[in-house]
Amino acid sequence: MIFSSTVFLFIFLPVVLSGYYLTPTTRLRNIFLLIASLFFYSWGEGVYALLMLTSIFLNYFVGVLLARISIPYKRKVVLIIGICGNLLLLAFFKYVNFIAEVINAVLMLSGSEQLSLAPIHLPIGISFFTFQAISYIVDVYRGDARVQADPLNCGLYIALFPQLIAGPIVRYHDIYQQIGKRRHSSEKFLSGMILFIIGLSKKMIIANHMGLVADQIFALNPDELSAVVAWSGAFAYTLQIYFDFSGYSDMAIGLGRMFGFELRINFNYPYIARSFREFWQRWHISLSRWFRDYLYIP
């Protein structure tokens, strides 16, 4: 299910918003949102929703152990096991097909019998919820945020549907307090709705149409391409990828506000950047900051 689909816009979103605001307490609202998020993911991924449940329970128990253990080296061992578990899940689904192709290429050169392996489906959003899960256990390990004693709240952080498909990547220490207590107001809801409409417009009006132009030009025989046509295709693709990605991020942030969550911006006018470094500080900000805080600096 994608945000621009009629099923999401006219059935899923109205039903979830209505159910959310008719639910009386924050805890019940969190449970309702978790169920809605798992349904949202299973709509397109089916049985692979079990993979997300596996991630939730793995990281919940790792977080609980990190909170209970006080001996430094034991905490570090638990953290390493948690990180490796998350990365193994990601690596298996992301790279097993590539590894099988490489092995078969080597076997073919040697004249040996090749492996017979059905293609492994790559679950949508697996990178996003895996990075968020790692953020959770690392922030708990560092003491930057409190552990979620309630597995349902831990599950909501990992599975929350607005940012599940295309980000932004939400770091746990930025949002953990909002899980238990967040502010709702008509002004916040309205600003979220406006931002969602802006993002939807970016996707439907600009990105989709620029994509049609780029696809038609890229499909041409190279001999038929003049310099003007080739550059037009590149320009159209440049607009398509930006407005598609930033549009989804705007929709995610807008949806978050409609449910009381404040998510950080993910794009900040990257095409006005005057250097590659500045560009990456403005493009997919949540990913750049995630790598900075959880990989480069450590």
Side-chain angles (χ1 to χ4, degrees), residues 36-177:
S37 297
L38 292 174
F39 176 82
F40 173 87
Y41 191 75
S42 62
W43 178 273
E45 292 302 290
V47 71
Y48 287 97
L50 295 175
L51 176 65
M52 178 175 289
L53 290 173
T54 301
S55 176
I56 290 170
F57 285 109
L58 166 67
N59 290 285
Y60 168 73
F61 285 114
V62 169
V64 169
L65 287 174
L66 289 171
R68 291 181 179 177
I69 297 173
S70 58
I71 302 173
Y73 83 88
K74 289 186 177 180
R75 297 184 80 241
K76 185 167 288 189
V77 169
V78 171
L79 176 68
I80 291 171
I81 291 172
I83 292 175
C84 290
N86 281 292
L87 293 180
L88 282 173
L89 284 175
L90 177 62
F92 175 80
F93 287 97
K94 204 160 184 116
Y95 299 113
V96 69
N97 290 326
F98 170 74
I99 294 172
E101 289 176 5
V102 171
I103 292 173
N104 280 335
V106 173
L107 291 174
M108 183 176 66
L109 289 174
S110 64
S112 303
E113 185 178 353
Q114 297 184 30
L115 299 175
S116 178
L117 179 67
I120 303 297
H121 171 69
L122 178 64
I124 295 174
I126 187 172
S127 296
F128 292 103
F129 70 73
T130 299
F131 287 168
Q132 290 196 179
I134 292 175
S135 169
Y136 171 67
I137 59 176
V138 171
D139 285 352
V140 171
Y141 172 80
R142 290 173 175 170
D144 293 338
R146 277 187 257 171
V147 69
Q148 286 293 341
D150 188 340
L152 298 178
N153 284 348
C154 178
L156 179 62
Y157 164 69
I158 294 174
L160 186 64
F161 78 86
Q163 42 69 42
L164 186 57
I165 301 300
I169 299 170
V170 181
R171 294 176 299 178
Y172 179 63
H173 65 261
D174 288 336
I175 201 175
Y176 80 100
Q177 292 180 328

Side-chain angles (χ1 to χ4, degrees), residues 5 59 87 91 154 183 226 235 240 243 246 257 273 278 291:
S5 68
N59 290 285
L87 293 180
C154 178
R183 182 180 64 87
S226 64
F235 181 70
Q240 176 200 359
F243 284 106
S246 70
R257 287 184 190 172
E278 185 184 357
F291 277 108

Side-chain angles (χ1 to χ4, degrees), residues 267-286:
F267 287 84
N268 184 23
Y269 304 103
Y271 289 157
I272 69 170
R274 290 173 291 182
S275 66
F276 283 113
R277 180 179 180 180
E278 185 184 357
F279 176 82
W280 287 116
Q281 291 173 342
R282 294 173 174 271
W283 179 280
H284 206 343
I285 298 169
S286 64

